[in-house]
Amino acid sequence: MIKHIQNFTIPCYNTDASWRLKPAAFMDLAQEAAGLHAVHLGFGYDDLIKKHTAWILSRVNVKFIDTPLWREDMTLTTWHKGFNRLFFLRDFVMTDSKGRERVKATTSWLVLDLESRNMVRDPGLVEEGTICTENAVEIPADKIRMPRDVEAVPVYEHVVGYSDVDMLGHANNAMYMQWAMDAVDYEIASKSPVKEFTINFNKEIKAGEKVILYRAIVNKEDGMHVYIEGRTEAASSFCVEIIF
């Protein structure tokens, strides 16, 4: 099974005040689909943990063609694209009951040694026969930095707690996106659909740590670009560019 396919209906708890699928909810759905597929292909959590290693999500680019709504029946398809330089690549497509593409995404993953906290670069981890070279998004997720010509201002603080932490003991990747959306002005976030976002995970965050979120806004021809950076002790833990 080179591709993994899941069917589901968009539940109310994954949508916002405009009934649209939340960006963080898409990341939750994608993470679970990726994990299930990796287990089937022989390089999932149970396989890696035997070697004291684990998959770590590094970069994500998501394009909302037509954001799914509450109660819509959707299909999420994912596949692994193999090793590219530093990263293992995995793509996603979400389609509706009529077969129309509604969301496309590409993700870049690393393998972490849980004891040394060093990255493991092993292209042979994924067997050639499990790779699908088809692109949902052709270009891998880019490096995101705060714009230099716009002052970033602190707008939100969050102390990482029980609901943020995953089974590896650090904040789950979808929670970073949830904090970022909370740092966007509510009138924008609740009424304007997200066209696209790219997020980089730079440093893991653990329970009890305080994250200060900084925001910068740049208006461009294709829409409003909102940059959110989460910092812990002056170090950048993540940075996201959201296009409305």
Side-chain angles (χ1 to χ4, degrees), residues 160 164-166 169-176 179 204-207:
V160 178
D164 299 307
V165 176
D166 64 15
H170 58 217
N172 181 267
N173 66 74
M175 300 308 300
Y176 291 60
W179 307 335
E204 65 179 341
I205 307 175
K206 296 183 178 180

Side-chain angles (χ1 to χ4, degrees), residues 2 40 96 99 131-132 136 145 154-155 161 163 172 186 196 201 205:
I2 294 182
H40 177 81
D96 59 24
I131 296 172
C132 175
R145 296 183 177 89
V155 294
S163 61
N172 181 267
Y186 182 77
E196 180 178 350
F201 302 96
I205 307 175

Side-chain angles (χ1 to χ4, degrees), residues 29-234:
L29 292 166
Q31 177 179 234
E32 181 66 9
L36 291 173
H37 192 212
V39 168
H40 177 81
L41 296 178
F43 45 82
Y45 173 85
D46 294 330
D47 301 287
L48 268 64
I49 202 66
K50 294 175 183 177
K51 300 179 181 179
H52 306 288
T53 58
W55 289 107
I56 299 295
L57 187 57
S58 180
R59 298 179 184 179
V60 178
N61 172 248
V62 181
K63 303 177 188 295
F64 292 94
I65 303 165
D66 183 10
T67 308
L69 303 174
W70 175 42
R71 294 176 174 170
E72 284 198 284
D73 295 323
M74 308 300 296
T75 298
L76 180 61
T77 304
T78 183
W79 59 96
H80 191 83
K81 299 202 297 186
F83 192 72
N84 183 311
R85 302 174 72 179
L86 298 176
F87 301 108
F88 293 89
L89 303 181
R90 174 176 285 277
D91 279 12
F92 301 82
V93 172
M94 185 176 285
T95 55
D96 59 24
S97 58
K98 296 182 180 179
R100 297 175 298 190
E101 291 186 353
R102 303 286 291 275
V103 187
K104 298 192 298 184
T106 188
T107 56
S108 303
W109 300 72
L110 297 166
V111 176
L112 178 71
D113 186 307
L114 298 175
E115 296 180 343
S116 69
R117 313 308 287 181
N118 294 324
M119 298 304 167
V120 178
R121 292 176 173 82
D122 180 11
L125 175 65
V126 178
E127 295 183 6
E128 190 68 29
T130 66
I131 296 172
C132 175
T133 58
E134 180 181 337
N135 292 316
V137 179
E138 186 173 352
I139 300 174
D142 202 359
K143 180 70 176 177
I144 299 298
R145 296 183 177 89
M146 296 294 277
R148 296 181 178 180
D149 54 345
V150 178
E151 182 181 1
V153 296
V155 294
Y156 176 58
E157 291 186 3
H158 179 79
V159 177
V160 178
Y162 171 83
S163 61
D164 299 307
V165 176
D166 64 15
M167 52 201 263
L168 294 177
H170 58 217
N172 181 267
N173 66 74
M175 300 308 300
Y176 291 60
M177 196 62 208
Q178 181 167 305
W179 307 335
M181 291 299 294
D182 285 342
V184 175
D185 183 88
Y186 182 77
E187 288 300 306
I188 297 172
S190 62
K191 296 178 181 179
S192 303
V194 173
K195 296 179 182 178
E196 180 178 350
F197 72 84
T198 304
I199 184 167
N200 291 177
F201 302 96
N202 304 321
K203 175 182 172 292
E204 65 179 341
I205 307 175
K206 296 183 178 180
E209 291 191 87
K210 181 172 72 174
V211 185
I212 303 175
L213 291 99
Y214 290 77
R215 182 178 69 205
I217 299 175
V218 180
N219 289 306
K220 301 182 181 181
E221 291 185 2
D222 62 341
M224 177 187 296
H225 291 236
V226 180
Y227 295 83
I228 304 292
E229 183 176 46
R231 302 176 189 173
T232 54
E233 298 182 350

Side-chain angles (χ1 to χ4, degrees), residues 17-31:
S18 297
W19 295 13
R20 290 187 292 260
L21 179 70
K22 294 177 181 177
F26 176 82
M27 292 186 66
D28 273 332
L29 292 166
Q31 177 179 234

